[in-house]
Amino acid sequence: MMHQTGTTGGRMVWRAADPAVWDEWATRLGRLLSPAARVVRDEPMSRHTTWRVGGPAAVWVEPAGEEDLVRVVRACGPAGMPVLVVGRGSNLLVGDAGFHGVVVALHGEYWQRVEVSGERLWCGAGARLKAVAVAARDAGLSGLEFLEGIPGSVGGALRMNAGAMGSSMFEVVETVRLMDAAGEVREVAAGLLDVRYRCCEGLRDRIALGAWLRGRPAPREEIQERMQSYSRRRWATQPAAPSAGCVFKNPGGVPAGRLLDELGCKGWREGGAVVSDVHANFIVTEAGATAADVLRLIRRLQEHVWRERGILLEPEVRIVAEAEGEE
Ligand SMILES: Cc1cc2nc3c(=O)[nH]c(=O)nc-3n(C[C@H](O)[C@H](O)[C@H](O)COP(=O)(O)OP(=O)(O)OC[C@H]3O[C@@H](n4cnc5c(N)ncnc54)[C@H](O)[C@@H]3O)c2cc1C
């Protein structure tokens, strides 16, 4: 039997007293969805996060299109079943206990479409940011070069308002197509989505399905040169080992990396999680690292900075761990 015990962030927490209950959910979703969809039990999240840590998703679903996604949302919502949408997992820490719910990945062909129309690009939520930057370059559209080295998807970049090299996602977004918790689909103007630094509140409880982005016509060679210079700058300043990019938001304009560096945190370690020697706002993982290692290191860094400077570092990465309270 399935029972609900307590809440996290106001949401019910499902615990399977019997794994057969998750089997039932997987079977049920498998029957509801089109044959092109994928439904998997106990899919290790370590395969789907760039930190390469995290326990299993009780049920992992790859809907083939919007109709499938509506069905997932409408089956899970009324049952209080938690749903976590993931992109490329490049800003995500899932606990070692995994996710007791349904993880939805927009990975199929339908979700990865990038189509150019004049000075605009339609980008599916599952499209890789690099593919968007390359499509814009090939079409002679500038303004999206900064997406080149961010290893995420359009959906994740919308949710995080990802940014680099002085630009951020919502500077180039015109409208977002999204699905709400009732499975209703709408296209919403970017200005109505309560966008902040590294966060889009308007997507907190909604799923981004895709977005229209806008570029500016420019010579391709110029765009290519800018992409190459961004790439060189990135490789010179960031570690190559598995990470989730910057762990903390910059507090009040001070780069968190500089703060951590000044406080001597480079090289700090908890188990297989280490503060990078290249960039102090990156935690890199070694083989055998666990999500608990990463979490312990995050907490230790926060405590240290609080004690030494009275600054509370807020994680930029999304933490989905039972002990932490989900997102
Ligand atoms: C080496 C490295 C370098 C990085 N450099 C940068 C950088 O320069 N700038 C920067 O901003 N980030 C950077 N990041 C972090 C990360 O790549 C970005 O935040 C990226 O936008 C996350 O996209 P994702 O698809 O991987 O999202 P995920 O990590 O899969 O998810 C992140 C959040 O978005 C939510 N989400 C995912 N898809 C959807 C959707 N379709 N609808 C609604 N919510 C969704 C998830 O639930 C989660 O809360 C870097 C990461 C790495 C590993």
Side-chain angles (χ1 to χ4, degrees):
M1 279 297 292
M2 177 86 72
H3 54 269
Q4 298 148 5
T5 50
T7 62
T8 48
R11 278 184 273 167
M12 280 180 283
V13 177
W14 284 84
R15 283 186 214 291
D18 177 354
V21 174
W22 294 115
D23 294 341
E24 276 168 33
W25 266 90
T27 306
R28 183 170 162 203
L29 290 174
R31 286 199 186 115
L32 274 176
L33 306 191
S34 66
R38 254 187 102 217
V39 180
V40 182
R41 276 276 287 118
D42 277 343
E43 175 71 7
M45 289 303 293
S46 54
R47 283 193 200 150
H48 302 283
T49 60
T50 51
W51 256 324
R52 299 184 192 159
V53 299
V59 182
W60 170 272
V61 178
E62 293 178 22
E66 284 185 14
E67 201 43 53
D68 277 345
L69 185 58
V70 171
R71 290 183 184 161
V72 175
V73 166
R74 292 197 176 147
C76 294
M81 174 62 65
V83 174
L84 172 69
V85 185
V86 296
R88 310 310 307 187
S90 62
N91 208 39
L92 195 61
L93 180 66
V94 178
D96 298 310
F99 186 74
H100 301 288
V102 174
V103 175
V104 174
L106 307 182
H107 282 179
E109 203 183 311
Y110 172 83
W111 302 105
Q112 297 194 36
R113 279 181 310 141
V114 178
E115 283 161 19
V116 179
S117 168
E119 294 177 15
R120 304 197 310 153
L121 294 96
W122 166 258
C123 304
R128 288 176 189 263
L129 297 172
K130 181 154 197 118
V132 174
V134 166
R137 178 202 63 197
D138 292 350
L141 293 174
S142 175
L144 293 94
E145 297 90 332
F146 73 98
L147 297 174
E148 171 274 339
I150 307 178
S153 66
V154 167
L158 290 167
R159 173 72 181 94
M160 301 308 304
N161 189 21
M165 313 293 161
S167 300
S168 55
M169 187 67 178
F170 272 89
E171 289 167 23
V172 294
V173 174
E174 286 196 337
T175 58
V176 178
R177 186 172 171 84
L178 50 81
M179 187 179 292
D180 66 18
E184 299 297 332
V185 174
R186 278 185 300 149
E187 204 152 310
V188 178
L192 299 175
L193 284 170
D194 192 4
V195 175
R196 304 171 189 192
Y197 164 57
R198 295 294 173 267
C199 179
C200 171
E201 282 295 328
L203 286 174
R204 183 177 286 277
D205 294 312
R206 290 147 151 186
I207 302 173
L209 308 174
W212 280 104
L213 312 189
R214 181 173 283 277
R216 301 179 306 274
R220 268 182 226 182
E221 305 70 44
E222 212 176 87
I223 300 171
Q224 174 65 8
E225 258 172 48
R226 202 169 297 123
M227 280 168 70
Q228 279 172 344
S229 91
Y230 287 170
S231 172
R232 277 194 298 272
R233 210 190 303 174
R234 195 175 273 279
W235 284 107
T237 55
Q238 292 182 4
S243 77
C246 287
V247 174
F248 299 107
K249 293 183 181 177
N250 293 327
V254 191
R258 193 194 302 161
L259 197 59
L260 292 163
D261 196 1
E262 283 170 10
L263 291 173
C265 300
K266 278 185 172 170
W268 280 21
R269 164 187 294 277
E270 289 287 335
V274 185
V275 178
S276 166
D277 278 335
V278 183
H279 191 314
N281 200 14
F282 277 56
I283 291 179
V284 296
T285 49
E286 299 173 344
T290 63
D293 294 340
V294 178
L295 266 177
R296 274 202 313 281
L297 193 49
I298 289 175
R299 296 297 169 241
R300 211 175 126 200
L301 293 168
Q302 284 177 313
E303 278 163 25
H304 188 62
V305 172
W306 176 251
R307 227 180 6 254
E308 296 297 319
R309 294 284 171 92
I311 294 172
L312 182 63
L313 285 183
E314 189 193 335
E316 179 179 319
V317 292
R318 318 296 304 183
I319 298 173
V320 182
E322 289 226 345
E324 292 297 304
E326 290 161 21
E327 287 203 271

